[in-house]
Amino acid sequence: WKTSARTLWRQGPRHFGRARLGLHAHIAGERNSSYLSLAHRRTRIRPRAPWTCQDRTYGEKAKAPLTGKSAREALRAHALRVEEISNSILALDSLPQLWEYEDLIHNDESKISDPARQQVYRDVMELLDNLQADVDSRLIEPQGRHRVHVSILVDAVLRCLAVSDPPGDGGSVYSQCDRIMKRMTEWSIDLQHSHCKSIMLVAGREGLWKEASRLFAKRIDPRASGLTPVNIDVSDPIGLYCIARHAQEQGLDPVEIVLNGVLNMSIVCPSEQGRYVLAAGSALGQAGEAESLMQYLLTNSSAKKFGQHLVAATAHACLHCSRPDDAIRLFDNLTEGDHQASVEWQWEGGKERLL
């Protein structure tokens, strides 16, 4: 208890810490507190320097002293520019579905190649150049904290690019989409289904069925994309339609290939198999393969893997091909159970009755 303040100053920070140093000095009754004040001055926690504070806005401004803007301001400017381009697209006539696009080109090409869509193409290219400049200057970090923002921004850019038309210099919209995919690979940004949908739409409108089908096949392959469910629209199955058209070009059976794609998607998300089968029926019907799908339903033993949904998908394909009588006949067969899809393992080889 009679330890002097000088001794406490020598031993306190090492043995007791700052709190015990003050307590022992108070118990010792040291009159002269100069050593205690000196100890507090030497061991106090100093405030952080301004450039190491956790304020993101200040940190972003400190990283870009030459441009005079922060990363948040740059991303906001790009997002506003995309919104302006999207609003200009709303004033244009909507493009038809992918399977109706070829007929529109042959009948009235002026609806596709118009100056307004060409201006949209120029605006998107300018936006991509500005985004690349910000990335090169390290103002925007797509491989770091801005990855999600850049992914959403690229998705909006691809949607705008899908409804644009290149100028009359022989350019290709798909070549720009391929350029964007390469940039996303360099930036370590995953290619989401929304990105693929816009790119497949562009490739299909340019007749590049091989590129579109490869992109979708890689997307639904569990070994390539992992266990990621695919959100596919029954009324607009772009990916399955591209696979069917590519199979037609190669002289293969579109029904087998499209239904194999359905099985791949069902591995990841079995609860959505019915919706996938209905989407396959829509795609095959738009591709003119209703007869082939009907023969697959009636004769192929693999049809039992899909159940009653395949019957509904076949009827839907017949309606797309303007064959309502065949659709009614399929419904009658469904009530009787005289087809391969009505036999499933749950009924031990029996017939599944229509609910």
Side-chain angles (χ1 to χ4, degrees):
W1 302 106
K2 295 183 180 181
T3 307
S4 63
R6 183 181 300 273
T7 305
L8 288 174
W9 159 243
R10 293 175 180 176
Q11 301 178 357
R14 184 175 56 192
H15 298 286
F16 305 103
R18 187 177 59 186
R20 294 191 176 183
L21 173 63
L23 178 62
H24 283 232
H26 177 71
I27 295 176
E30 190 71 30
R31 296 181 179 180
N32 189 4
S33 61
S34 59
Y35 296 104
L36 186 60
S37 301
L38 181 61
H40 277 284
R41 286 199 302 269
R42 292 185 179 180
T43 59
R44 65 182 181 180
I45 301 177
R46 296 183 178 180
R48 292 183 177 181
W51 53 84
T52 61
C53 64
Q54 298 180 358
D55 188 0
R56 291 183 177 270
T57 304
Y58 184 88
E60 291 170 354
K61 289 182 179 179
K63 286 186 177 181
L66 299 179
T67 59
K69 63 178 180 180
S70 63
R72 184 179 302 176
E73 294 174 351
L75 290 172
R76 186 183 297 112
H78 294 314
L80 293 176
R81 183 54 180 160
V82 170
E83 185 177 1
E84 292 177 359
I85 298 174
S86 302
N87 293 334
S88 64
I89 293 174
L90 295 177
L92 303 176
D93 296 334
S94 60
L95 293 177
Q97 299 288 349
L98 183 58
W99 37 84
E100 301 173 355
Y101 193 80
E102 296 179 0
D103 297 335
L104 182 62
I105 292 179
H106 294 299
N107 296 333
D108 190 2
E109 189 176 355
S110 61
K111 293 183 180 180
I112 308 299
S113 300
D114 57 352
R117 297 187 185 277
Q118 294 177 0
Q119 184 61 37
V120 171
Y121 180 84
R122 297 189 188 95
D123 295 340
V124 172
M125 291 298 101
E126 181 183 0
L127 176 62
L128 288 175
D129 293 339
N130 295 334
L131 179 61
Q132 183 65 43
D134 290 340
V135 172
D136 293 339
S137 63
R138 297 184 180 180
L139 178 63
I140 297 177
E141 301 175 0
Q143 297 180 349
R145 54 181 176 175
H146 303 136
R147 177 177 301 176
V148 177
H149 304 83
V150 175
S151 178
I152 297 173
L153 185 62
V154 170
D155 184 20
V157 168
L158 288 173
R159 287 198 303 266
C160 296
L161 195 61
V163 298
S164 65
D165 186 62
D169 54 357
S172 173
V173 181
Y174 179 78
S175 61
Q176 300 299 332
C177 293
D178 186 64
R179 174 187 170 192
I180 292 175
M181 286 191 295
K182 292 180 180 178
R183 289 184 180 180
M184 294 177 66
T185 304
E186 295 175 357
W187 297 340
S188 301
I189 297 178
D190 296 333
L191 193 65
Q192 304 295 333
H193 182 70
S194 56
H195 303 140
C196 296
K197 185 176 181 180
S198 300
I199 298 173
M200 288 186 298
L201 187 60
V202 171
R205 286 173 178 169
E206 295 185 1
L208 303 175
W209 303 114
K210 180 180 180 180
E211 288 76 5
S213 61
R214 281 185 176 181
L215 182 61
F216 186 73
K218 184 178 180 181
R219 181 63 188 169
I220 65 177
D221 188 3
R223 295 170 296 180
S225 299
L227 301 179
T228 304
V230 178
N231 185 16
I232 190 170
D233 191 2
V234 176
S235 60
D236 191 17
I238 296 176
L240 295 175
Y241 178 76
C242 293
I243 290 179
R245 290 300 305 272
H246 178 57
Q248 290 176 346
E249 286 185 349
Q250 298 295 321
L252 303 176
D253 186 8
V255 177
E256 288 280 352
I257 296 178
V258 170
L259 292 181
N260 287 337
V262 170
L263 291 177
N264 287 336
M265 292 186 290
S266 301
I267 292 175
V268 179
C269 189
S271 61
E272 297 291 335
Q273 181 178 1
R275 188 161 62 92
Y276 296 153
V277 174
L278 295 177
S282 300
L284 292 171
Q286 297 295 350
E289 297 292 337
E291 180 66 26
S292 300
L293 183 58
M294 191 181 306
Q295 294 297 326
Y296 181 89
L297 173 66
L298 298 176
T299 60
N300 199 320
S301 60
S302 299
K304 65 179 68 174
K305 300 178 182 178
F306 307 100
Q308 291 183 356
H309 293 95
L310 184 59
V311 182
T314 307
H316 196 193
C318 292
L319 293 177
H320 281 301
C321 294
S322 301
R323 302 175 62 174
D325 296 337
D326 294 334
I328 295 175
R329 190 179 303 110
L330 284 173
F331 182 78
D332 295 337
N333 293 336
L334 178 63
T335 58
E336 297 175 1
D338 295 334
H339 50 79
Q340 293 293 333
S342 63
V343 181
E344 293 191 1
W345 63 270
Q346 292 95 334
W347 291 270
E348 298 180 357
K351 300 291 184 179
E352 176 189 7
R353 296 302 177 185
L354 180 66
L355 299 179

